[in-house]
Structures are given as C-alpha cells and as structure tokens.
Amino acid sequence: MKKTICAVLLAMSLGQCVFAQSELLKFGDFERWITREVKESALVGGKLRTLYEVGPTQTWPRNKAYKNQGGSPWGTSNVYAKVAGVVKSNESVYPDTHPNHGKCAKLETNIVKCKAIGIINISVLAAGSLFTGEMVEPITSSSNPMSKMNAGIAFTKRPKALQFDYKVKLSGEANRIRETGFSKTKKIEGLDQCEALLLLQKRWEDSDGNIHAKRVGTMWQRFTSNSDWKHAQSFSIHYGDISRSDYYKSYMQLQDEQAARVYYAMNSKGKMVMVKEEGWADADETPTHLIIYFNSSHGGAYIGSPGNTLWIDNVKLVY
C-alpha cells in the first residue's frame, strides 16, 4: 500500500512538472541587443539616429538594411526607410532596465516629425511593436505599414499559455489620434490600450503564391490601466473556434480583408502577401506558424496616444 501511494504521488508530481514546463523564446529575456546607426538625409535634418534590434550583441553597419541575426525570432518597429532617395528612421523600441532582472524591452508610442529645410512638414504617429518575424528593409513607402512586416515564424508545438513580465504606462488621454503625415490630425474615440497577442496558424501556399491560413490557437490581451511590474503572468491559449466562447471579443476575429489589422508574410516567390485566415481550425490541429505581437497601441497603423508605453521581459511558452 505504501509503495502504491508513493507511486501515485510521484505520478501526480511528474504530471504537475510537465504541465508547468516553460520554454524561453530565443533572446526572450532581452539581455542582448544589436545597435544600429542610421544617418538621415540632410534634407530631413541629417541627424545620426541609434536604433536597436533584439539579437546577439553587436554593432550593425550604418545605413544598411537589417535582417534578423543569430536566429533571433524578433522583429521591431524600428526601421530604416529610404523613400525616393531620402533616408529617414523610426525608433520606438528600446532596451531598458528591469529592476533586479537585468534588461527588458520598452515599447513606446511617439510622434515622428520630418523636417525639410528646417520646416516641419509632416508628423506621423508610430507605435512601438515587437513581434515574431522580421521587418523587410529598407522601407520604401509609408503606405500599408503591415505589408512591411514578415509576420510569424515556423512553429509546430501546442503550448497552453504565453507567459511574460510586463509593466504598463498609459498616456492619460481619454481618446486617441490618427496622425498619418498626409492629412490633418484626427481624433479617434476611445482609450488607447497596450496589447499582447499570440496567434497559432496552419498556413499553406497555392500555386499563385497566395498564403492561406486557418486559426489554430488564440491569445489576445489588452491592458487598460497602468501597472507596475507584474512577473511570470500567464495568459491561456484557446484552441479551435472561439467565436462563440465567453473569451471571444470582436477584435479577435479572423485576419482577412474585413479585419482592422491584417498580417503579411513572404511567400516562396520572395513576395510579401497578405495571410488570409479563412476559418477556424479544429481544436486538435497542429499549427505551422506562430505570431506573437506586443504593441504599445492597439488601434492599428498611425492610431494611438503618444506616451503609451509597454515594458516586456522574459517571454516564455508554457506547456
């Protein structure tokens, strides 16, 4: 009897260990960063800007298009742009100090001002974004920013939750603004929120190079109030069709032409195309790709509140 009880207790203990197993995403402790310099064109002020990327510690050549290094799965909204020969940059993701935990990632919504011959002629709102995938540089136009993000990495596991440390500081503004640089500033009703999401997709490509997908798993969390550091917070991943569940919110909808935000990926022909989610996968389906996306503003391109800030650290998948 004693041996039987011990065996049961051991099995329960092992079961708990398996359930609580977690895996740190590569470079997900944000202790190492790549430093970049972009010398902007004299026409827009000629400043030397410092940008950061998540990856093995090194210095990237000045004014060179960046590609993820050292197997880093992380892309950022920090970009080197060259539009009609004019070089400009954006920096909205930075390394920062996480007290007693080393470094972390800081994502901030800000206004990027572009001056020509000393006169401010355009202002653009840029949110801080950190995502699995990479930015396709150099950026050659300001249209459709999501089409410059090669979103998602190959992935076939089925985690139970996404875990990370975070801190939130909202702008304090009751409403947001839309600032594109090519039209007047527009007020957008509603509080700007920081956001974290995880999408598991089963993707396939047709003979024309279109990328199709079904949604396998969903985790989508918005942060509506300030908070000091919260550590090892786990957010459950929901599998299959969640559209009729209590968890579901309208912004979790399938990512297609009707969605407020869509994702793009590079096809086998080297072309960036929209990833069209055409349905919900069965709850026991195996994914092919993983999108993790942290954002200091939730409203999509050019919409947010300057000053919204999200700190992220120790990103893990829980099994």
Side-chain angles (χ1 to χ4, degrees):
M1 176 64 74
K2 184 176 180 180
K3 288 184 178 179
T4 302
I5 292 174
C6 288
V8 171
L9 290 174
L10 177 61
M12 291 174 63
S13 175
L14 288 173
Q16 289 172 348
C17 289
V18 170
F19 179 79
Q21 182 182 0
S22 63
E23 175 188 5
L24 180 73
L25 268 73
K26 194 167 187 177
F27 299 105
D29 57 2
F30 305 111
E31 293 299 316
R32 291 179 287 172
W33 294 76
I34 296 168
T35 304
R36 312 171 58 189
E37 288 186 339
V38 174
K39 176 68 173 176
E40 298 182 338
S41 295
L43 180 65
V44 291
K47 291 185 178 181
L48 183 63
R49 304 284 189 183
T50 300
L51 311 183
Y52 299 94
E53 304 293 343
V54 181
T57 305
Q58 61 179 286
T59 300
W60 191 251
R62 182 179 296 181
N63 285 35
K64 180 181 177 181
Y66 177 76
K67 290 191 68 67
N68 290 18
Q69 298 296 299
S72 175
W74 299 106
T76 75
S77 53
N78 295 341
V79 295
Y80 157 56
K82 192 172 184 179
V83 181
V86 178
V87 173
K88 191 74 176 75
S89 65
N90 169 62
E91 60 269 16
S92 52
V93 177
Y94 322 85
D96 202 5
T97 300
H98 182 179
N100 302 317
H101 290 80
K103 295 179 182 178
C104 64
K106 177 182 178 182
L107 290 59
E108 186 174 28
T109 300
N110 54 43
I111 297 288
V112 179
K113 296 182 182 296
C114 185
K115 299 181 180 181
I117 319 175
I119 301 172
I120 298 176
N121 55 2
I122 62 170
S123 296
V124 177
L125 185 138
S129 299
L130 179 70
F131 63 96
T132 51
E134 62 181 356
M135 194 69 73
V136 181
E137 290 189 343
I139 304 299
T140 56
S141 76
S142 60
S143 63
N144 196 3
M146 298 300 288
S147 68
K148 282 75 173 176
M149 293 170 53
N150 186 8
I153 57 173
F155 187 83
T156 57
K157 298 180 182 179
R158 289 172 52 87
K160 296 180 182 297
L162 180 67
Q163 182 185 101
F164 53 92
D165 307 340
Y166 71 90
K167 175 183 173 181
V168 176
K169 182 179 76 67
L170 302 182
S171 69
E173 297 294 328
N175 296 300
R176 300 162 288 162
I177 61 171
R178 184 173 188 268
E179 186 88 65
T180 68
F182 299 101
S183 59
K184 291 183 178 180
T185 301
K186 181 180 179 181
K187 186 176 82 170
I188 304 293
E189 297 288 338
L191 177 74
D192 194 16
Q193 303 167 34
C194 298
E195 182 177 61
L197 64 90
L198 177 152
L199 304 180
L200 290 167
Q201 297 176 325
K202 182 175 182 179
R203 295 183 185 175
W204 65 97
E205 182 176 332
D206 65 27
S207 59
D208 294 323
N210 299 307
I211 297 178
H212 309 265
K214 285 192 174 183
R215 176 84 63 82
V216 177
T218 308
M219 188 291 296
W220 208 309
Q221 180 69 32
R222 288 184 172 174
F223 303 102
T224 59
S225 60
N226 295 336
S227 73
D228 203 350
W229 276 105
K230 294 184 180 295
H231 297 100
Q233 301 295 296
S234 289
F235 300 90
S236 296
I237 299 168
H238 301 263
Y239 283 85
D241 185 352
I242 63 168
S243 62
R244 296 177 180 84
S245 72
D246 293 340
Y247 172 76
Y248 183 76
K249 302 291 188 296
S250 60
Y251 53 79
M252 301 176 187
Q253 71 186 87
L254 297 174
Q255 307 296 290
D256 56 22
E257 293 93 337
Q258 307 304 315
R261 179 192 297 146
V262 295
Y263 293 98
Y264 284 72
M266 189 170 291
N267 66 14
S268 61
K269 305 175 189 295
K271 182 181 178 181
M272 292 290 289
V273 297
M274 182 190 301
V275 179
K276 300 179 181 179
E277 288 188 327
E278 299 176 345
W280 303 93
D282 292 338
D284 59 354
E285 186 64 81
T286 299
T288 63
H289 286 79
L290 165 70
I291 296 174
I292 297 175
Y293 188 59
F294 297 103
N295 204 348
S296 60
S297 292
H298 76 280
Y302 309 124
I303 296 174
S305 295
N308 252 43
T309 310
L310 175 65
W311 288 262
I312 294 293
D313 203 2
N314 298 319
V315 181
K316 300 178 180 181
L317 293 170
V318 179
Y319 295 90

Coordinates of all heavy atoms in Angstrom, one line a residue, residues 22-30 313-317:
S22 N 8.1 25.3 -19.0 CA 8.1 26.5 -19.8 C 9.3 26.6 -20.6 O 10.4 26.1 -20.3 CB 7.9 27.8 -18.9 OG 9.0 28.0 -18.1
E23 N 9.2 27.3 -21.7 CA 10.3 27.4 -22.7 C 10.5 28.9 -23.0 O 9.6 29.6 -23.5 CB 10.0 26.7 -23.9 CG 11.1 26.8 -25.0 CD 10.6 26.2 -26.3 OE1 9.5 25.6 -26.4 OE2 11.4 26.2 -27.3
L24 N 11.7 29.5 -22.7 CA 12.0 30.8 -23.0 C 12.3 31.0 -24.5 O 13.0 30.2 -25.1 CB 13.3 31.3 -22.3 CG 13.7 32.7 -22.5 CD1 12.8 33.7 -21.8 CD2 15.2 32.9 -22.0
L25 N 11.5 31.9 -25.2 CA 11.8 32.1 -26.6 C 13.2 32.7 -26.7 O 13.7 33.4 -25.9 CB 10.8 33.1 -27.2 CG 9.6 32.4 -27.8 CD1 8.6 31.9 -26.7 CD2 8.9 33.4 -28.7
K26 N 13.9 32.3 -27.8 CA 15.2 32.7 -28.0 C 15.3 34.3 -27.9 O 14.5 35.0 -28.5 CB 15.8 32.3 -29.4 CG 17.3 32.4 -29.5 CD 17.8 31.6 -30.7 CE 19.3 31.6 -30.8 NZ 19.8 30.8 -31.9
F27 N 16.3 34.7 -27.1 CA 16.5 36.2 -26.9 C 15.3 36.8 -26.2 O 15.2 38.0 -26.1 CB 16.8 36.9 -28.1 CG 18.1 36.5 -28.8 CD1 18.0 35.7 -30.0 CD2 19.3 36.8 -28.3 CE1 19.2 35.3 -30.6 CE2 20.5 36.4 -28.9 CZ 20.4 35.6 -30.1
G28 N 14.4 36.0 -25.6 CA 13.2 36.5 -25.0 C 13.4 37.1 -23.6 O 12.5 37.6 -23.0
D29 N 14.7 37.0 -23.1 CA 15.0 37.7 -21.8 C 15.5 39.1 -22.1 O 15.7 39.9 -21.2 CB 16.0 36.9 -21.0 CG 17.3 36.6 -21.8 OD1 17.5 37.1 -22.9 OD2 18.2 35.9 -21.2
F30 N 15.7 39.5 -23.4 CA 16.1 40.8 -23.8 C 17.3 41.3 -23.1 O 17.4 42.5 -22.9 CB 14.9 41.8 -23.7 CG 13.6 41.3 -24.4 CD1 12.5 40.8 -23.6 CD2 13.6 41.2 -25.7 CE1 11.4 40.3 -24.3 CE2 12.5 40.7 -26.4 CZ 11.4 40.2 -25.7
D313 N 9.3 41.5 -20.7 CA 10.5 40.8 -20.4 C 10.2 39.3 -20.2 O 9.0 38.9 -19.9 CB 11.1 41.3 -19.1 CG 12.6 41.0 -19.0 OD1 13.2 40.4 -19.9 OD2 13.2 41.4 -18.0
N314 N 11.2 38.4 -20.4 CA 11.1 37.0 -20.1 C 9.9 36.3 -20.7 O 9.0 35.8 -20.0 CB 11.1 36.8 -18.6 CG 12.4 37.3 -17.9 OD1 13.5 37.1 -18.5 ND2 12.2 38.0 -16.8
V315 N 9.9 36.4 -22.1 CA 8.7 35.8 -22.8 C 8.9 34.3 -22.9 O 9.9 33.8 -23.5 CB 8.6 36.4 -24.2 CG1 7.4 35.9 -25.0 CG2 8.5 38.0 -24.1
K316 N 7.9 33.5 -22.4 CA 8.0 32.1 -22.4 C 6.7 31.5 -22.9 O 5.7 32.0 -22.8 CB 8.3 31.6 -21.0 CG 9.6 32.1 -20.4 CD 9.7 31.6 -18.9 CE 11.0 32.1 -18.3 NZ 11.2 31.6 -16.9
L317 N 6.9 30.3 -23.5 CA 5.7 29.4 -23.8 C 5.6 28.4 -22.7 O 6.6 27.7 -22.3 CB 5.9 28.8 -25.2 CG 5.9 29.8 -26.3 CD1 6.3 29.1 -27.6 CD2 4.5 30.4 -26.5

